[in-house]
Amino acid sequence: MPVNSRTESIDNLYTTTWQNMKTDVADQIYSATPFFFWMKNKGNMDPVPGGRFIAEPLRYAKSDNIRWVQKGSTMPLADKEFLTEAIWEWRYLADSIVRFGVDDQQNRGRNQIIDLALAKMQNSRDSLIDALETTLFDAQTGNEMQGLADLIATDPTVSTTVGGVNQNTYSWWQNQQIDFDTVYTAAPTFEASGQTAMARLLNLCSNNLRQDTPDLILSGQFAYENYEIVSLGYQQIVNKELADAGFTHQVYKGIPMVWSPAANATTYGEDELMYFINTRFLRLKYDPQMNFDMTEWKPIPDQIQDRAAQIIFAGNLVTNRRRVHGVIWNIDG
Protein backbone atom coordinates (compact mmCIF):
# COMPACT_ATOMS: atom_id res chain seq x y z
CA MET A 1 0.00 0.00 0.00
CA PRO A 2 1.44 3.44 -0.90
CA VAL A 3 2.45 5.62 2.05
CA ASN A 4 -0.14 8.29 1.25
CA SER A 5 -2.93 5.72 1.04
CA ARG A 6 -1.87 4.24 4.36
CA THR A 7 -1.75 7.70 5.93
CA GLU A 8 -5.24 8.49 4.67
CA SER A 9 -6.51 5.13 5.95
CA ILE A 10 -5.11 5.88 9.41
CA ASP A 11 -6.60 9.41 9.22
CA ASN A 12 -10.00 7.88 8.53
CA LEU A 13 -9.54 5.28 11.28
CA TYR A 14 -8.76 7.98 13.88
CA THR A 15 -11.63 10.18 12.71
CA THR A 16 -14.11 7.29 12.65
CA THR A 17 -12.93 6.13 16.08
CA TRP A 18 -13.46 9.63 17.50
CA GLN A 19 -16.89 9.97 15.89
CA ASN A 20 -17.90 6.65 17.42
CA MET A 21 -16.57 7.81 20.78
CA LYS A 22 -17.71 11.45 20.61
CA THR A 23 -21.13 11.15 22.23
CA ASP A 24 -19.75 9.05 25.07
CA VAL A 25 -16.70 11.28 25.46
CA ALA A 26 -18.77 14.48 25.62
CA ASP A 27 -21.05 12.79 28.14
CA GLN A 28 -18.02 11.67 30.18
CA ILE A 29 -16.55 15.18 30.12
CA TYR A 30 -19.80 16.72 31.37
CA SER A 31 -20.35 13.94 33.92
CA ALA A 32 -16.84 13.79 35.37
CA THR A 33 -17.26 16.54 37.97
CA PRO A 34 -20.26 17.38 40.19
CA PHE A 35 -20.89 20.88 38.81
CA PHE A 36 -20.98 19.98 35.13
CA PHE A 37 -22.91 16.77 35.92
CA TRP A 38 -25.50 18.85 37.75
CA MET A 39 -25.76 21.30 34.85
CA LYS A 40 -26.20 18.49 32.32
CA ASN A 41 -28.67 16.58 34.46
CA LYS A 42 -30.80 19.69 35.05
CA GLY A 43 -30.97 20.50 31.34
CA ASN A 44 -28.93 23.68 31.71
CA MET A 45 -26.78 23.15 28.64
CA ASP A 46 -28.14 24.97 25.61
CA PRO A 47 -27.07 24.46 21.99
CA VAL A 48 -26.51 27.74 20.15
CA PRO A 49 -25.77 27.21 16.43
CA GLY A 50 -23.11 29.83 15.74
CA GLY A 51 -23.42 33.61 15.63
CA ARG A 52 -20.97 36.42 16.41
CA PHE A 53 -21.71 36.27 20.14
CA ILE A 54 -24.05 34.72 22.72
CA ALA A 55 -26.95 37.01 23.69
CA GLU A 56 -28.92 36.45 26.88
CA PRO A 57 -32.04 38.57 27.63
CA LEU A 58 -32.13 40.26 31.05
CA ARG A 59 -35.26 41.43 32.83
CA TYR A 60 -34.38 44.33 35.11
CA ALA A 61 -37.65 46.16 35.90
CA LYS A 62 -41.24 45.40 36.87
CA SER A 63 -44.39 46.69 35.22
CA ASP A 64 -45.74 50.07 36.36
CA ASN A 65 -49.21 49.20 35.07
CA ILE A 66 -50.27 46.97 37.97
CA ARG A 67 -53.23 48.38 39.93
CA TRP A 68 -55.94 47.29 42.35
CA VAL A 69 -59.14 48.16 40.51
CA GLN A 70 -62.88 48.40 40.98
CA LYS A 71 -65.83 48.95 38.69
CA GLY A 72 -65.13 51.86 36.35
CA SER A 73 -61.40 52.01 37.08
CA THR A 74 -59.07 52.87 34.25
CA MET A 75 -55.81 51.09 33.68
CA PRO A 76 -52.54 52.74 32.70
CA LEU A 77 -51.13 51.64 29.37
CA ALA A 78 -47.54 52.80 29.69
CA ASP A 79 -45.10 50.71 27.70
CA LYS A 80 -42.13 50.47 30.03
CA GLU A 81 -38.72 49.23 28.93
CA PHE A 82 -37.87 46.22 31.08
CA LEU A 83 -35.53 44.12 28.96
CA THR A 84 -31.91 44.42 28.00
CA GLU A 85 -29.28 41.95 26.85
CA ALA A 86 -26.10 40.50 28.23
CA ILE A 87 -23.56 39.81 25.50
CA TRP A 88 -21.10 36.96 25.97
CA GLU A 89 -18.16 36.17 23.73
CA TRP A 90 -17.64 32.73 22.27
CA ARG A 91 -14.76 30.97 23.98
CA TYR A 92 -12.87 28.08 22.43
CA LEU A 93 -11.21 25.19 24.25
CA ALA A 94 -9.06 22.94 22.09
CA ASP A 95 -6.56 20.14 22.35
CA SER A 96 -4.16 18.86 19.72
CA ILE A 97 -3.69 15.21 18.96
CA VAL A 98 -0.33 14.70 17.28
CA ARG A 99 0.55 11.63 15.26
CA PHE A 100 4.09 10.79 14.33
CA GLY A 101 4.77 8.92 11.13
CA VAL A 102 7.20 6.69 13.03
CA ASP A 103 4.42 5.59 15.41
CA ASP A 104 2.14 4.86 12.47
CA GLN A 105 4.91 2.81 10.89
CA GLN A 106 5.76 0.89 14.06
CA ASN A 107 2.11 0.13 14.90
CA ARG A 108 1.22 -1.51 11.63
CA GLY A 109 -1.59 -3.78 12.78
CA ARG A 110 -5.11 -2.35 12.78
CA ASN A 111 -5.61 -3.33 16.42
CA GLN A 112 -2.35 -1.66 17.41
CA ILE A 113 -3.37 1.56 15.65
CA ILE A 114 -6.80 1.47 17.29
CA ASP A 115 -5.21 0.98 20.73
CA LEU A 116 -2.87 3.91 20.11
CA ALA A 117 -5.76 6.08 18.88
CA LEU A 118 -7.87 5.24 21.93
CA ALA A 119 -5.00 6.04 24.31
CA LYS A 120 -4.42 9.44 22.71
CA MET A 121 -8.13 10.29 22.68
CA GLN A 122 -8.71 9.20 26.27
CA ASN A 123 -5.76 11.33 27.35
CA SER A 124 -7.29 14.27 25.49
CA ARG A 125 -10.63 13.65 27.21
CA ASP A 126 -9.05 13.64 30.68
CA SER A 127 -7.07 16.80 29.89
CA LEU A 128 -10.20 18.61 28.68
CA ILE A 129 -12.01 17.65 31.90
CA ASP A 130 -9.20 19.17 33.98
CA ALA A 131 -9.15 22.35 31.87
CA LEU A 132 -12.92 22.90 32.19
CA GLU A 133 -12.91 22.32 35.95
CA THR A 134 -9.92 24.61 36.54
CA THR A 135 -11.39 27.38 34.39
CA LEU A 136 -14.70 27.11 36.27
CA PHE A 137 -13.07 28.64 39.36
CA ASP A 138 -10.96 31.22 37.53
CA ALA A 139 -11.70 34.80 36.65
CA GLN A 140 -11.81 35.23 32.88
CA THR A 141 -8.42 36.04 31.39
CA GLY A 142 -7.05 35.77 27.88
CA ASN A 143 -9.14 33.36 25.83
CA GLU A 144 -10.80 31.53 28.75
CA MET A 145 -14.56 31.28 29.25
CA GLN A 146 -16.30 33.07 32.10
CA GLY A 147 -15.73 31.46 35.49
CA LEU A 148 -17.63 31.60 38.75
CA ALA A 149 -15.20 34.29 39.94
CA ASP A 150 -16.74 36.55 37.26
CA LEU A 151 -20.40 35.56 37.50
CA ILE A 152 -20.45 35.31 41.32
CA ALA A 153 -17.83 37.87 42.30
CA THR A 154 -16.48 38.44 45.79
CA ASP A 155 -16.88 42.18 45.12
CA PRO A 156 -19.77 42.69 42.67
CA THR A 157 -19.63 46.50 43.07
CA VAL A 158 -16.31 46.97 41.26
CA SER A 159 -16.78 48.98 38.09
CA THR A 160 -16.41 46.27 35.48
CA THR A 161 -18.66 44.69 32.89
CA VAL A 162 -20.06 41.19 33.17
CA GLY A 163 -21.74 40.10 29.98
CA GLY A 164 -21.28 43.65 28.69
CA VAL A 165 -23.31 45.16 31.58
CA ASN A 166 -21.54 47.30 34.18
CA GLN A 167 -22.21 45.75 37.59
CA ASN A 168 -21.34 48.95 39.45
CA THR A 169 -23.83 51.04 37.48
CA TYR A 170 -26.72 48.59 37.79
CA SER A 171 -27.28 47.18 41.27
CA TRP A 172 -29.78 44.64 39.92
CA TRP A 173 -26.82 43.00 38.13
CA GLN A 174 -24.88 42.29 41.35
CA ASN A 175 -24.63 38.88 42.99
CA GLN A 176 -24.79 38.36 46.76
CA GLN A 177 -21.63 38.00 48.85
CA ILE A 178 -20.44 37.71 52.44
CA ASP A 179 -16.87 38.48 53.48
CA PHE A 180 -16.55 35.95 56.32
CA ASP A 181 -13.50 37.61 57.93
CA THR A 182 -15.12 41.04 57.99
CA VAL A 183 -18.68 40.14 59.01
CA TYR A 184 -17.83 37.60 61.71
CA THR A 185 -14.81 39.19 63.40
CA ALA A 186 -16.25 38.43 66.85
CA ALA A 187 -16.46 34.69 66.07
CA PRO A 188 -14.20 34.22 63.05
CA THR A 189 -14.11 30.41 62.83
CA PHE A 190 -16.36 28.28 60.67
CA GLU A 191 -17.30 26.21 63.70
CA ALA A 192 -18.63 29.32 65.44
CA SER A 193 -20.16 31.24 62.54
CA GLY A 194 -20.18 29.05 59.44
CA GLN A 195 -23.82 28.00 59.55
CA THR A 196 -24.87 31.53 60.44
CA ALA A 197 -23.13 32.80 57.30
CA MET A 198 -24.70 30.05 55.20
CA ALA A 199 -28.20 30.83 56.46
CA ARG A 200 -27.67 34.53 55.82
CA LEU A 201 -26.42 34.02 52.27
CA LEU A 202 -29.22 31.59 51.43
CA ASN A 203 -31.80 34.17 52.47
CA LEU A 204 -30.04 36.94 50.51
CA CYS A 205 -30.07 34.82 47.37
CA SER A 206 -33.57 33.40 47.64
CA ASN A 207 -35.40 36.46 48.99
CA ASN A 208 -37.85 33.80 50.23
CA LEU A 209 -38.92 33.00 46.66
CA ARG A 210 -38.84 29.38 45.55
CA GLN A 211 -37.58 30.03 42.03
CA ASP A 212 -34.73 32.20 43.34
CA THR A 213 -33.49 29.67 45.91
CA PRO A 214 -30.05 28.19 45.14
CA ASP A 215 -30.06 24.50 44.26
CA LEU A 216 -26.33 23.73 44.54
CA ILE A 217 -23.55 24.65 46.98
CA LEU A 218 -20.01 24.33 45.64
CA SER A 219 -16.85 24.82 47.69
CA GLY A 220 -13.27 23.78 48.22
CA GLN A 221 -12.31 20.78 50.33
CA PHE A 222 -11.63 22.75 53.52
CA ALA A 223 -15.03 24.49 53.61
CA TYR A 224 -16.76 21.23 52.71
CA GLU A 225 -15.06 19.36 55.56
CA ASN A 226 -15.80 22.16 58.02
CA TYR A 227 -19.50 21.98 57.24
CA GLU A 228 -19.32 18.20 57.58
CA ILE A 229 -17.83 18.58 61.06
CA VAL A 230 -20.34 21.14 62.33
CA SER A 231 -23.30 19.23 60.88
CA LEU A 232 -22.41 15.86 62.44
CA GLY A 233 -25.42 14.46 64.22
CA TYR A 234 -27.90 16.14 61.90
CA GLN A 235 -29.96 13.83 59.75
CA GLN A 236 -29.32 14.45 56.06
CA ILE A 237 -31.37 13.36 53.08
CA VAL A 238 -29.10 12.13 50.30
CA ASN A 239 -29.56 13.62 46.84
CA LYS A 240 -30.40 10.62 44.65
CA GLU A 241 -29.06 12.13 41.40
CA LEU A 242 -25.61 12.78 42.85
CA ALA A 243 -25.56 9.53 44.80
CA ASP A 244 -26.46 7.47 41.73
CA ALA A 245 -23.69 9.22 39.78
CA GLY A 246 -21.17 8.29 42.48
CA PHE A 247 -20.48 11.80 43.81
CA THR A 248 -19.79 12.26 47.51
CA HIS A 249 -21.97 15.07 48.84
CA GLN A 250 -23.86 16.38 51.83
CA VAL A 251 -27.00 18.45 52.18
CA TYR A 252 -27.74 21.86 53.69
CA LYS A 253 -31.46 22.67 54.11
CA GLY A 254 -32.24 20.33 51.25
CA ILE A 255 -29.57 21.81 48.96
CA PRO A 256 -26.81 19.41 47.88
CA MET A 257 -23.28 20.50 48.67
CA VAL A 258 -20.25 19.26 46.70
CA TRP A 259 -16.59 20.22 46.51
CA SER A 260 -13.89 20.44 43.90
CA PRO A 261 -10.10 20.33 44.32
CA ALA A 262 -9.95 23.12 41.72
CA ALA A 263 -11.67 25.38 44.29
CA ASN A 264 -9.15 24.70 47.05
CA ALA A 265 -7.26 27.60 48.55
CA THR A 266 -3.53 27.79 47.86
CA THR A 267 -2.88 27.06 51.53
CA TYR A 268 -5.26 24.51 53.01
CA GLY A 269 -7.72 26.11 55.39
CA GLU A 270 -7.18 29.72 54.38
CA ASP A 271 -9.44 32.08 52.46
CA GLU A 272 -11.66 29.52 50.77
CA LEU A 273 -14.90 30.15 48.91
CA MET A 274 -18.36 28.65 49.16
CA TYR A 275 -20.67 29.31 46.21
CA PHE A 276 -24.46 29.22 46.49
CA ILE A 277 -25.60 28.68 42.91
CA ASN A 278 -29.05 28.79 41.36
CA THR A 279 -28.47 26.69 38.26
CA ARG A 280 -31.93 27.59 36.93
CA PHE A 281 -30.32 30.90 35.98
CA LEU A 282 -26.94 29.57 34.94
CA ARG A 283 -26.43 28.09 31.47
CA LEU A 284 -23.58 26.46 29.63
CA LYS A 285 -24.05 27.59 26.03
CA TYR A 286 -22.29 25.58 23.34
CA ASP A 287 -22.17 25.30 19.57
CA PRO A 288 -23.44 21.82 18.62
CA GLN A 289 -21.02 21.81 15.66
CA MET A 290 -18.10 22.38 18.03
CA ASN A 291 -19.08 20.26 20.97
CA PHE A 292 -15.78 18.41 21.27
CA ASP A 293 -15.61 17.72 17.55
CA MET A 294 -12.42 16.73 15.76
CA THR A 295 -10.95 18.72 12.88
CA GLU A 296 -9.44 17.13 9.81
CA TRP A 297 -5.91 15.78 10.03
CA LYS A 298 -3.30 18.22 8.79
CA PRO A 299 0.34 17.61 7.84
CA ILE A 300 2.82 19.29 10.18
CA PRO A 301 5.06 21.58 8.08
CA ASP A 302 8.63 20.41 7.56
CA GLN A 303 7.94 17.08 9.27
CA ILE A 304 7.90 13.70 7.54
CA GLN A 305 4.49 12.01 7.78
CA ASP A 306 3.72 13.74 11.10
CA ARG A 307 0.14 14.97 11.37
CA ALA A 308 -2.10 16.81 13.83
CA ALA A 309 -5.81 17.29 14.47
CA GLN A 310 -7.63 19.31 17.10
CA ILE A 311 -10.58 18.54 19.33
CA ILE A 312 -12.51 21.75 19.91
CA PHE A 313 -15.32 23.07 22.11
CA ALA A 314 -17.01 26.43 21.53
CA GLY A 315 -19.19 27.90 24.28
CA ASN A 316 -19.37 29.93 27.46
CA LEU A 317 -20.85 29.89 30.94
CA VAL A 318 -23.52 32.61 31.25
CA THR A 319 -26.21 33.83 33.61
CA ASN A 320 -29.27 36.04 33.20
CA ARG A 321 -29.95 36.67 36.90
CA ARG A 322 -26.90 37.31 39.05
CA ARG A 323 -28.72 38.35 42.22
CA VAL A 324 -29.83 34.76 42.90
CA HIS A 325 -26.22 33.55 43.18
CA GLY A 326 -23.90 34.21 46.12
CA VAL A 327 -20.51 33.50 47.62
CA ILE A 328 -19.03 33.36 51.11
CA TRP A 329 -15.35 34.21 50.87
CA ASN A 330 -12.34 34.57 53.16
CA ILE A 331 -13.42 31.41 55.02
CA ASP A 332 -10.76 30.50 57.56
CA GLY A 333 -10.57 27.79 60.18
Side-chain angles (χ1 to χ4, degrees):
M1 179 186 293
V3 173
N4 287 341
S5 297
R6 174 174 168 75
T7 298
E8 290 172 5
S9 295
I10 296 176
D11 284 356
N12 292 335
L13 186 147
Y14 266 83
T15 303
T16 302
T17 301
W18 180 258
Q19 290 303 321
N20 291 337
M21 291 175 58
K22 177 180 172 282
T23 300
D24 287 340
V25 168
D27 185 66
Q28 289 167 12
I29 289 172
Y30 293 135
S31 299
T33 62
F35 173 81
F36 287 105
F37 166 80
W38 190 262
M39 293 288 286
K40 177 177 72 72
N41 216 40
K42 293 299 180 182
N44 294 340
M45 299 174 60
D46 301 334
V48 179
R52 291 181 55 202
F53 48 76
I54 302 168
E56 191 73 6
L58 306 178
R59 188 179 63 191
Y60 64 88
K62 297 179 180 178
S63 172
D64 287 337
N65 294 335
I66 296 175
R67 296 287 188 276
W68 291 98
V69 296
Q70 62 181 9
K71 183 177 179 180
S73 296
T74 59
M75 286 291 295
L77 300 174
D79 186 14
K80 180 175 181 176
E81 189 68 40
F82 66 96
L83 285 175
T84 187
E85 274 189 331
I87 302 298
W88 311 88
E89 299 291 333
W90 285 105
R91 301 296 179 183
Y92 303 93
L93 177 65
D95 185 30
S96 288
I97 296 181
V98 178
R99 253 178 46 226
F100 297 101
V102 170
D103 289 338
D104 289 350
Q105 180 265 327
Q106 292 179 355
N107 292 272
R108 286 188 178 277
R110 180 179 176 84
N111 289 337
Q112 288 175 298
I113 289 292
I114 289 175
D115 288 345
L116 184 60
L118 287 172
K120 286 178 178 288
M121 292 172 181
Q122 288 166 353
N123 181 67
S124 180
R125 174 202 62 195
D126 295 343
S127 300
L128 289 165
I129 289 169
D130 288 344
L132 271 177
E133 188 73 358
T134 300
T135 304
L136 175 64
F137 296 97
D138 283 345
Q140 196 282 321
T141 58
N143 298 321
E144 292 182 354
M145 74 174 187
Q146 308 298 137
L148 294 178
D150 305 299
L151 306 182
I152 314 175
T154 55
D155 186 356
T157 64
V158 172
S159 184
T160 188
T161 60
V162 179
V165 179
N166 192 302
Q167 62 181 9
N168 177 264
T169 304
Y170 302 104
S171 59
W172 51 264
W173 192 230
Q174 296 172 4
N175 59 265
Q176 313 299 328
Q177 63 84 26
I178 292 176
D179 180 346
F180 192 86
D181 271 356
T182 301
V183 175
Y184 299 102
T185 52
T189 66
F190 194 93
E191 181 180 2
S193 303
Q195 293 200 67
T196 302
M198 293 172 72
R200 174 65 176 159
L201 186 63
L202 178 61
N203 289 336
L204 288 172
C205 293
S206 69
N207 204 27
N208 208 22
L209 297 172
R210 185 172 66 176
Q211 74 159 3
D212 287 357
T213 301
D215 63 332
L216 185 70
I217 301 171
L218 181 58
S219 74
Q221 181 180 352
F222 169 75
Y224 181 90
E225 290 172 351
N226 264 270
Y227 176 69
E228 188 171 21
I229 291 168
V230 300
S231 64
L232 286 176
Y234 295 120
Q235 183 177 3
Q236 291 197 7
I237 300 173
V238 174
N239 181 272
K240 188 175 186 303
E241 296 163 272
L242 290 168
D244 288 348
F247 291 115
T248 300
H249 67 283
Q250 49 195 330
V251 177
Y252 172 72
K253 294 189 175 182
I255 305 169
M257 179 180 182
V258 294
W259 69 278
S260 169
N264 287 348
T266 304
T267 302
Y268 183 78
E270 292 184 5
D271 302 335
E272 276 206 353
L273 305 168
M274 182 182 289
Y275 289 104
F276 280 56
I277 305 169
N278 188 328
T279 61
R280 301 174 189 87
F281 301 100
L282 195 69
R283 320 296 294 187
L284 182 65
K285 304 282 188 174
Y286 68 94
D287 188 324
Q289 298 301 314
M290 288 188 176
N291 189 27
F292 302 106
D293 284 270
M294 180 183 281
T295 67
E296 74 280 2
W297 285 96
K298 301 172 284 288
I300 301 175
D302 301 323
Q303 301 298 315
I304 301 174
Q305 296 299 322
D306 295 346
R307 301 170 75 76
Q310 282 74 41
I311 295 170
I312 186 164
F313 163 83
N316 209 341
L317 188 65
V318 308
T319 183
N320 59 8
R321 192 167 169 81
R322 289 185 75 204
R323 70 156 310 279
V324 299
H325 311 297
V327 59
I328 305 172
W329 56 292
N330 272 340
I331 299 174
D332 292 335

